[in-house]
Amino acid sequence: MLLTMRMRVLGIESSCDETAAAVVDEHGLVLSDVVESQIALHAPWGGVVPELAARDHLRAIVPVVRAALRDAGTELDALSGIAVTVRPGLAGALLVGTLVAKTLSWSTGLPIVGVDHLVGHLLAVHLRRPGAPAPPPYPFVALLASGGHTAIYRVDGPLAANIVELGATRDDAAGEAFDKVAKLLGLGYPGGPVVDRLAKEGNPRAHDLPLPMLAGDSLEFSFSGIKSWVARHVAREGRPASPAAMADLCASFQRAVVEVLARKTIRAAKAEGVSHVVLCGGVAANRGLRERAAALCEKNGLVLSVPPIASCTDNAAMIAYAGAMRLVAGERDDASLTTSTRTQLPRVTRKGRGRRDAGERSDP
């Protein structure tokens, strides 16, 4: 069917600890964006508890969807389609959003498309909302860094088939390392924003942390060693006793992570011959990463695009836009749509330690 009128797509996101719904058009204009966070629910446990997350999605998802439709000034029957995160994520959490989306599709006859959460992040730079930069042209190289994922991708278009992983983490994701270090230092959950805030006041060279896997031309990451360095330091010295000492340790830790992320992303862009670089995912909200990436891009003649923070953290607007791109391409799913805890994007980085053979790939 040819699309002759403005497309409006409802996006539903429930892959982890945010229940979200949004309405976006095919040009990325965000008409509504509602996010209900579970941070307070999981904070006492120091991390996301999958069963609690799924139960809270059940409680919140219908009111959140209603709020997104109300804020967009539209009704279900005025939509062009429904997009929902189906992978990767927590199994129970994904199931809640997918069942709601399939029910809405069945009851209204609206087409439904499943969206890979990582594809949503990679396309979030195209969302049009206040403070958003002009979207970069294809192709671009993107660093996707979040609590569960850290990888560099070449993005040649808006569909999953247009996206290629260039390198990823062998162990901890960058956001996971931030949260684990914050827990070691008694800074609470989520730890990334707290570490970033304290790092601004500290000396980033107060401690000599390792810069893992930075030598050579590898685009892979490893952050478990940095986390272990902080754990050994705390075991030996105890937690920093003064605000200044805490700020110094946070600044030194953040510098090590940010330096590796930023320099490898620039390395990837130069190797691919691509002039546009994008930061996305929750860690893209980190002040230190934004500043370092901007400085390196300017030095190397590259153009950096960083979405507003609302587009970096988990949201449904990015899912709606990625779904709209699938609908524009004529793609549809049906009642057989299922969820998966793994991304559909093929991975070239194998988890764990050891030598990598040339050309080795891991299963998607």
Side-chain angles (χ1 to χ4, degrees), residues 62-191:
V62 171
V64 164
V65 169
R66 286 175 174 165
L69 294 172
R70 182 194 65 231
D71 291 354
T74 190
E75 302 289 340
L76 273 172
D77 58 10
L79 297 174
S80 307
I82 299 170
V84 60
T85 305
V86 294
R87 60 195 302 165
L90 303 175
L94 288 168
L95 188 61
V96 173
T98 301
L99 287 176
V100 168
K102 289 169 70 172
T103 299
L104 293 176
S105 174
W106 174 81
S107 64
T108 61
L110 290 170
I112 186 173
V113 285
V115 172
D116 189 298
H117 183 81
L118 304 190
V119 175
H121 274 305
L122 292 167
L123 299 186
V125 72
H126 288 272
L127 294 177
R128 293 166 53 194
R129 62 167 98 228
Y138 297 110
F140 58 83
V141 162
L143 169 68
L144 196 171
S146 67
H149 309 277
T150 297
I152 301 172
Y153 296 92
R154 178 186 171 111
V155 183
D156 286 286
L159 303 178
N162 307 134
I163 299 170
V164 176
E165 180 194 299
L166 302 176
T169 181
R170 294 183 177 185
D171 41 57
D172 291 352
E176 181 184 3
F178 270 96
D179 286 340
K180 287 180 177 178
V181 165
K183 188 173 183 179
L184 284 168
L185 298 178
L187 299 177
Y189 173 85

Side-chain angles (χ1 to χ4, degrees), residues 132-362:
Y138 297 110
F140 58 83
V141 162
L143 169 68
L144 196 171
S146 67
H149 309 277
T150 297
I152 301 172
Y153 296 92
R154 178 186 171 111
V155 183
D156 286 286
L159 303 178
N162 307 134
I163 299 170
V164 176
E165 180 194 299
L166 302 176
T169 181
R170 294 183 177 185
D171 41 57
D172 291 352
E176 181 184 3
F178 270 96
D179 286 340
K180 287 180 177 178
V181 165
K183 188 173 183 179
L184 284 168
L185 298 178
L187 299 177
Y189 173 85
V194 180
V195 171
D196 189 26
R197 186 176 68 249
L198 292 174
K200 186 178 181 180
E201 308 300 325
N203 175 8
R205 298 187 181 277
H207 300 277
D208 187 20
L209 272 75
L211 301 179
M213 299 185 67
L214 194 55
D217 59 359
S218 171
L219 298 178
E220 296 183 353
F221 303 96
S222 173
F223 296 110
S224 62
I226 295 179
K227 176 197 66 180
S228 297
W229 187 99
V230 176
R232 290 193 299 270
H233 177 82
V234 171
R236 183 176 63 251
E237 308 289 341
R239 290 175 177 169
S242 69
M246 181 67 80
D248 284 349
L249 185 53
C250 287
S252 299
F253 164 75
Q254 177 158 296
R255 173 186 172 271
V257 174
V258 162
E259 192 68 17
V260 172
L261 290 173
R263 285 170 63 177
K264 291 206 173 201
T265 302
I266 303 306
R267 180 185 296 169
K270 294 175 71 175
E272 292 295 312
V274 172
S275 60
H276 288 262
V277 173
V278 169
L279 302 183
C280 57
V283 179
N286 182 277
R287 171 199 54 83
L289 177 59
R290 289 175 175 234
E291 292 178 356
R292 186 57 176 151
L296 288 176
C297 280
E298 182 177 4
K299 179 180 178 181
N300 288 275
L302 303 173
V303 180
L304 177 67
S305 298
V306 187
I309 290 176
S311 295
C312 292
T313 54
D314 286 356
N315 64 90
M318 67 184 191
I319 302 304
Y321 179 72
M325 294 300 94
R326 288 199 63 200
L327 291 170
V328 167
E331 298 183 0
R332 303 289 189 276
D333 290 310
D334 55 30
S336 65
L337 181 64
T338 58
T339 62
S340 173
T341 59
R342 305 179 70 181
T343 180
Q344 72 185 108
L345 300 177
R347 293 179 294 186
V348 300
T349 303
R350 177 167 56 83
K351 293 288 188 179
R353 302 177 62 183
R355 183 178 66 85
R356 268 55 174 174
D357 296 327
E360 177 183 339
R361 302 179 66 93
S362 59

